Amino acid sequence: MQNFTSTSPASSDRVLTDRFGRAIRYLRLSVTDRCDLRCNYCLPKGFEDYEEPKNWLNFDEMTRLVGIFAQAGVSRVRLTGGEPLLRRNLPELAARLAALPGVEDLSLSTNATQLVKHAPALKAAGVKRINVSLDSLDKGCINTITGRDSFDSIMAGIMAGKAAGFAPIKLNMVAMRGVNDHEIGRMVAFCLENDFILRLIEAMPMGDTGRNAQYLDLNPVREQLVQQFGLIPEVAELGGGPARYWQTADGSGRVGFITPISQHFCATCNRVRLAVDGTLYMCLGQEEKFEFAPLLRGGASDSEILAALKEAIELKPERHEFKEQPGKIIRFMSQTGG
């Protein structure tokens, strides 16, 4: 089945599409499955089943593979983990990826605990935007969720990112019933005051930790925030991801809603995830995957890897089944890649 059209490697109309007609333009690249936090909806306490470093893709392999993705029309790349800032010399990789032809937007998802040390170098390397996980403005609540005394380092990292010139900075808040739902209005006000964009996220049943999270339907929350802050629908796309945005009447502030459970966005899914070991996952809520490490380390040519990529995209399912089969996915989010 032909799903890739290009008159030449430099063709401007190249596009990688799946069998449902969705253009795949967004790659989430995990540079490590390790994390310095233990968020209770992501990793269980005592978890040590990490990928062996010998199986990690090195920077040469990542750069080569992302270059092939870009040749196929993928223009947005996000560095993820685990916690990506735990990967040594990450700014070096960022600079290499930002320089690749076809990569138009390089961004980073982080918990910000290490961002004070790395923000200026990442900005200089070509990272344009950052998303930071921040589930609460209450120190005790954050420390409980993350399993660490992490609040101060997270907040310092966010402000370091702002000082370094990252814009926009998006704060990702997993909304959980009885845990932090009472803080949502406060979080919106905090983001509006500091020119951050808040993205509220429904907890997904990824592994036992995700299934044990206190799921909160965000549709009633959105209705409440619309009334409280006078929000109106945002037309412009912000970052090419799954969030649906609402803005303040004067356009100065925005709130995004990511609703994979109550109102899934599978019909417009434009992304795939590459784990640190070179496994490409087509969907968070399904098992379809393709392993690129054997090709990268087995002497395959770029054209052979490109052909394999086209075949891999054919595996992308139509939609997840989080509601129908919440116990289906046993791997944790950090193992998939952000």
Side-chain angles (χ1 to χ4, degrees), residues 72-123:
V74 172
S75 59
R76 299 179 184 272
V77 178
R78 175 171 293 276
L79 302 172
T80 71
E83 171 45 49
L85 295 183
L86 296 184
R87 184 74 184 251
R88 291 183 180 178
N89 302 316
L90 187 64
E92 175 193 334
L93 175 65
R96 295 171 67 173
L97 298 181
L100 288 171
V103 174
E104 299 173 359
D105 182 70
L106 181 65
S107 57
L108 170 77
S109 288
T110 177
N111 63 28
T113 59
Q114 311 294 317
L115 198 53
V116 168
K117 295 183 292 185
H118 299 295
L122 289 165
K123 188 67 169 60

Side-chain angles (χ1 to χ4, degrees), residues 41 204-215 325-332:
Y41 53 79
M204 289 174 279
M206 296 283 293
D208 291 338
T209 51
R211 282 186 286 276
N212 291 332
Q214 301 301 309
Y215 167 75
Q325 300 188 63
K328 182 175 183 178
I329 303 302
I330 62 173
R331 66 181 186 271
F332 300 108

Side-chain angles (χ1 to χ4, degrees), residues 73-276:
V74 172
S75 59
R76 299 179 184 272
V77 178
R78 175 171 293 276
L79 302 172
T80 71
E83 171 45 49
L85 295 183
L86 296 184
R87 184 74 184 251
R88 291 183 180 178
N89 302 316
L90 187 64
E92 175 193 334
L93 175 65
R96 295 171 67 173
L97 298 181
L100 288 171
V103 174
E104 299 173 359
D105 182 70
L106 181 65
S107 57
L108 170 77
S109 288
T110 177
N111 63 28
T113 59
Q114 311 294 317
L115 198 53
V116 168
K117 295 183 292 185
H118 299 295
L122 289 165
K123 188 67 169 60
V127 176
K128 295 181 178 179
R129 300 177 294 109
I130 60 173
N131 288 10
V132 178
S133 297
L134 182 67
D135 296 322
S136 172
L137 292 172
D138 179 85
K139 183 173 183 176
C141 184
I142 280 290
N143 293 348
T144 297
I145 291 173
T146 65
R148 301 283 192 275
D149 183 6
S150 59
F151 180 81
D152 292 340
S153 60
I154 292 172
M155 295 303 294
I158 292 171
M159 295 308 171
K162 185 176 182 179
F166 288 109
I169 293 177
K170 298 177 182 178
L171 302 187
N172 292 344
M173 179 183 188
V174 177
M176 294 170 281
R177 186 179 303 280
V179 178
N180 61 357
D181 52 337
H182 64 288
E183 286 194 74
I184 292 176
R186 180 186 175 198
M187 185 70 81
V188 172
F190 171 78
C191 289
L192 293 178
E193 179 182 350
N194 288 279
D195 295 322
F196 301 143
I197 295 175
L198 176 64
R199 304 200 314 169
L200 296 167
I201 304 172
E202 290 178 344
M204 289 174 279
M206 296 283 293
D208 291 338
T209 51
R211 282 186 286 276
N212 291 332
Q214 301 301 309
Y215 167 75
L216 178 67
D217 184 336
L218 285 180
N219 289 289
V221 173
R222 183 184 63 245
E223 294 173 6
Q224 180 180 352
L225 295 178
V226 165
Q227 295 298 318
Q228 183 177 353
F229 293 95
L231 303 178
I232 58 176
E234 166 70 78
V235 176
E237 179 186 277
L238 294 175
R244 297 178 175 96
Y245 287 95
W246 290 63
Q247 66 178 12
T248 55
D250 63 1
S252 63
R254 292 170 175 82
V255 180
F257 299 86
I258 299 179
T259 55
I261 310 300
S262 67
Q263 190 181 9
H264 72 77
F265 34 81
C266 300
T268 58
C269 183
N270 62 350
R271 69 204 67 87
V272 288
R273 289 169 166 82
L274 187 69
V276 68

Side-chain angles (χ1 to χ4, degrees), residues 7 53 71 145 306 318:
T7 57
Q71 180 186 342
I145 291 173
L306 177 58
E318 184 174 14

